[in-house]
């Protein structure tokens, strides 16, 4: 990755960290900075695995940084659109080309439930976002997801275990990297 893209990614990381530092509430026990950093780390690993070109890697990692920033500014529903808007505003201020912003936007929107990724970058981001589903950390992360959902909705969710099992049974990873290398609990 060339120096200018690295500088932009550094600025993006600093901006997103500052958003999480100033806006995170106790109810965001899953969709927090730790989750975002994990998604960025997972995305970077897969970018290396797939030997993404510099621009593809930039789009992927920028999308990973911004993908859940919308959680900080409203309800769970619609957070992808808010995150894409936050990303657009910031990257426009950084004079990033509109075509690159559009690609990042599409990647962020590919993380929306029931949306099917359309390219490798979107596949990687989608899998990076739910990577924990195939790891030994699943149970701990699943508890946090449910706790956050209950806190944010104000409702107790019945049959959480069954709902998690149903979700896992329907889930499929999009990348060969995740299909072949994650360790199911």
């Amino acid at each position: 990755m060339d120096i200018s893209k690295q500088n932009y990614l550094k600025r993006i990381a600093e901006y997103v960290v500052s958003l999480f530092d100033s806006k995170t509430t106790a109810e965001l026990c899953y969709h927090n900075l730790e989750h975002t950093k994990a998604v960025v780390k997972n995305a970077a690993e897969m970018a290396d695995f797939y030997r993404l070109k510099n621009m593809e890697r930039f789009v992927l990692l920028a999308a990973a940084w911004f993908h859940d920033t919308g959680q900080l500014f409203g309800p769970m529903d619609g957070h992808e659109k808010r995150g894409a808007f936050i990303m657009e505003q910031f990257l426009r201020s950084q004079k990033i080309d509109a075509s690159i912003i559009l690609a990042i936007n599409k990647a962020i929107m590919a993380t929306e439930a029931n949306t099917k990724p359309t390219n490798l970058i979107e596949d990687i981001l989608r899998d990076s976002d739910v990577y924990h589903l195939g790891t030994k950390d699943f149970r701990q992360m699943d508890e946090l997801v449910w706790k956050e959902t209950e806190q944010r909705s104000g409702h107790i969710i019945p049959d959480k275990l069954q709902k998690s099992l149903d979700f896992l049974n329907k889930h499929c990873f999009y990348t060969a990297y995740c299909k072949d290398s994650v360790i199911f609990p």
Side-chain angles (χ1 to χ4, degrees), residues 48-76:
D48 291 344
F49 176 82
Y50 286 104
R51 298 182 178 157
L52 294 186
K53 296 175 185 165
N54 290 341
M55 186 54 67
E56 294 169 320
R57 184 180 181 89
F58 175 76
V59 167
L60 173 64
L61 296 181
W65 277 110
F66 280 104
H67 85 284
D68 273 339
T69 55
Q71 297 275 11
L72 300 167
F73 297 95
M76 293 176 280

Side-chain angles (χ1 to χ4, degrees), residues 70-107:
Q71 297 275 11
L72 300 167
F73 297 95
M76 293 176 280
D77 289 343
H79 77 271
E80 297 88 357
K81 286 183 183 178
R82 287 190 303 278
F85 179 78
I86 292 163
M87 172 275 301
E88 282 186 44
Q89 297 305 302
F90 180 74
L91 293 186
R92 281 184 184 159
S93 77
Q94 301 297 303
K95 309 291 189 236
I96 298 291
D97 185 83
S99 64
I100 297 169
I101 292 173
L102 180 61
I104 297 167
N105 184 309
K106 286 182 64 182

Side-chain angles (χ1 to χ4, degrees), residues 16 20 28-43 64-69 71 79 111 125-133 141 144-145 148:
V16 170
F20 276 98
L28 288 174
C29 56
Y30 177 76
H31 290 103
N32 54 29
L33 183 57
E34 186 177 318
H35 166 72
T36 296
K37 286 180 176 180
V39 173
V40 171
K41 177 185 169 286
N42 298 334
W65 277 110
F66 280 104
H67 85 284
D68 273 339
T69 55
Q71 297 275 11
H79 77 271
T111 65
L125 185 60
R126 183 75 180 248
D127 283 359
S128 295
D129 193 23
V130 294
Y131 189 85
H132 72 279
L133 296 178
M141 296 293 107
L144 292 175
V145 168
E148 180 177 305

